[in-house]
Amino acid sequence: MSLMEHLSELRSRLLKCIAAVFVLGAVSLVFARPIFGLLMTPVLDALPPDGRALVYTSGIEEINVLMKVGVYCGIFLTTPVILWQIWGFVSPGLYPEERRYASPFVFLGTLAFLLGGLFCYFAVLPSMFQFLLNEEESTATAQRLDVGRLRADDALRFLSIGEAERAGKLAQEASVALKAAGEGAMPEATREPSEKVEVEARLSGLGRLVDAAAQGFNTVPARVVLRQTVEKRAEAVEAFAKEDFSVSSRAMDEAASLLAGVAPSRAEELAGLWRLEKELALGKARHVAQSWTRPMLTMEEQLSLVLLLLLSFGIIFELPLVMALLGVVGVIKAGFLIRYQRHAFVVCLILAAILTPTGDVVNLSLMAGPMLLCYEMGVIAVWIIERRRAKNAAETGITPTGV
């Protein structure tokens, strides 16, 4: 074939690939929204529970994102067609016995691309977005606060059914657990904790404590004390509204002291519950000061990042097959690949560092490791192809040559 005939053949096969992308992409548009939700699952799972949402910054961004999902799905689904057209383009230069590998080439190529995408989705994306969107200290602090809050709620429930002794034990255990989590309940915040946040949390905690005591000690003397406690808490609320936080804090401490009169024999348990509420309030203030940044992710940017990584890993897992194909047509030799193996390793590490959006070793290894492994598999495949070709040539008496 002449050069023009080769170019004409290439154009014909490219047009077939493009037509297949358009057809399958149009079909994918029908399911674009659920597919987009599936792709964004690793991103959303890494966000805080109360902020698991993506935003769009223009009226047409959501439509553009869904169109992009459809197009890329068309490309992914067209992988067998693309591989078949590639094989059809290079097959005229192969030996007759080598042309029978068309079906295995298409099947293995499609399988490798799919495995690369699945490896990225299940192994790389979750850890990567957890690293990007969560600070380790802030996440640990939030977890300790959540556990402490659950234990405090259980203690208040026991108090509400009249089991003050059990409530006191739970409060003591929760307080000890908070202090055992580190030096104090929380690590030092990067900013000064807000007194307003702490006082507000203490007001809420005192309200829960009063409600539980009102249910657990339903006697006339107890109601008199509870009334005085509620009035004192109301004074604390008034001071909080005027942003006089020191007065509000003193009023709450006085209210907690009055609350001990509900059941004098259980004053120690009630004091322990109030101490736990104060510790949780301080922890919340420190956590708010520590996590003063919030992720606000756009649909377009996250989709582009996820698709780039999925496509990259799909191509990486195709590397052994591509190298084998180049070895079949004689473009590369096993000796050359082995000779420059160290250089290839450096190139793989550089590419992995460029493609990986995080700076941690784990995610870099998750990309560089498969890339290096696929390169080694490609070298072995080329070496096997050369040995088999040399063996066939020796049997037929024909010197093997590349195309």
Side-chain angles (χ1 to χ4, degrees), residues 1-10:
M1 296 176 64
S2 65
L3 177 61
M4 294 302 299
E5 289 173 333
H6 275 295
L7 293 177
S8 177
E9 174 74 9
L10 179 61

Side-chain angles (χ1 to χ4, degrees), residues 47 78 87 105 125 172 205 223 233 272 291 300 303 311 313 317 335 370 402:
L47 291 171
T78 314
W87 185 267
F105 173 79
L125 293 182
Q172 184 178 6
R223 287 189 174 278
R233 183 181 180 276
S291 55
E300 177 71 30
L303 178 65
L311 186 62
F313 273 90
F317 276 62

Side-chain angles (χ1 to χ4, degrees), residues 133-286:
L133 302 178
N134 291 288
E135 295 182 5
E136 185 177 353
E137 288 187 356
S138 179
T139 303
T141 299
Q143 185 176 4
R144 289 196 291 267
L145 281 174
D146 290 341
V147 174
R149 182 70 263 166
L150 291 173
R151 288 172 174 169
D153 290 342
D154 284 339
L156 292 176
R157 290 187 182 97
F158 277 109
L159 181 65
S160 67
I161 61 176
E163 297 190 18
E165 184 178 358
R166 182 69 182 277
K169 289 182 179 179
L170 282 177
Q172 184 178 6
E173 292 173 1
S175 181
V176 170
L178 281 174
K179 292 177 181 178
E183 186 62 30
M186 309 298 142
E188 290 299 322
T190 55
R191 292 170 47 191
E192 188 67 23
S194 171
E195 188 177 4
K196 180 178 181 180
V197 174
E198 181 183 356
V199 173
E200 185 178 9
R202 289 173 65 182
L203 279 170
S204 299
L206 180 59
R208 286 189 291 267
L209 182 56
V210 171
D211 293 340
Q215 296 179 38
F217 304 100
N218 192 12
T219 62
V220 175
R223 287 189 174 278
V224 174
V225 176
L226 286 169
R227 179 181 178 82
Q228 295 173 351
T229 303
V230 172
E231 289 176 351
K232 184 59 68 173
R233 183 181 180 276
E235 294 179 12
V237 173
E238 289 296 328
F240 176 80
K242 297 176 182 178
E243 296 192 356
D244 195 345
F245 303 127
S246 59
V247 173
S248 181
S249 297
R250 284 197 301 271
M252 281 188 285
D253 288 333
E254 293 173 5
S257 299
L258 289 172
L259 187 62
V262 171
S265 61
R266 298 302 180 190
E268 184 179 350
E269 287 81 358
L270 292 170
L273 287 167
W274 174 235
R275 187 165 51 251
L276 176 60
E277 291 293 346
K278 291 171 68 175
E279 290 174 355
L280 288 172
L282 176 59
K284 180 179 179 180
R286 288 184 178 177

Side-chain angles (χ1 to χ4, degrees), residues 61-142:
E61 182 174 343
E62 186 174 11
I63 297 176
N64 289 338
V65 164
L66 297 179
M67 293 287 290
K68 193 172 184 179
V69 169
V71 171
Y72 273 85
C73 281
I75 295 175
F76 277 87
L77 294 175
T78 314
T79 302
V81 178
I82 295 174
L83 293 175
W84 187 266
Q85 296 302 320
I86 291 174
W87 185 267
F89 182 73
V90 301
S91 60
L94 304 179
Y95 291 111
E97 66 273 9
E98 293 172 340
R99 294 176 188 171
R100 57 190 176 92
Y101 295 125
S103 297
F105 173 79
V106 175
F107 173 77
L108 293 176
T110 304
L111 181 62
F113 193 83
L114 180 61
L115 289 177
L118 291 175
F119 177 81
C120 176
Y121 185 82
F122 289 105
V124 178
L125 293 182
S127 62
M128 184 194 75
F129 282 112
Q130 285 290 340
F131 177 84
L132 288 174
L133 302 178
N134 291 288
E135 295 182 5
E136 185 177 353
E137 288 187 356
S138 179
T139 303
T141 299

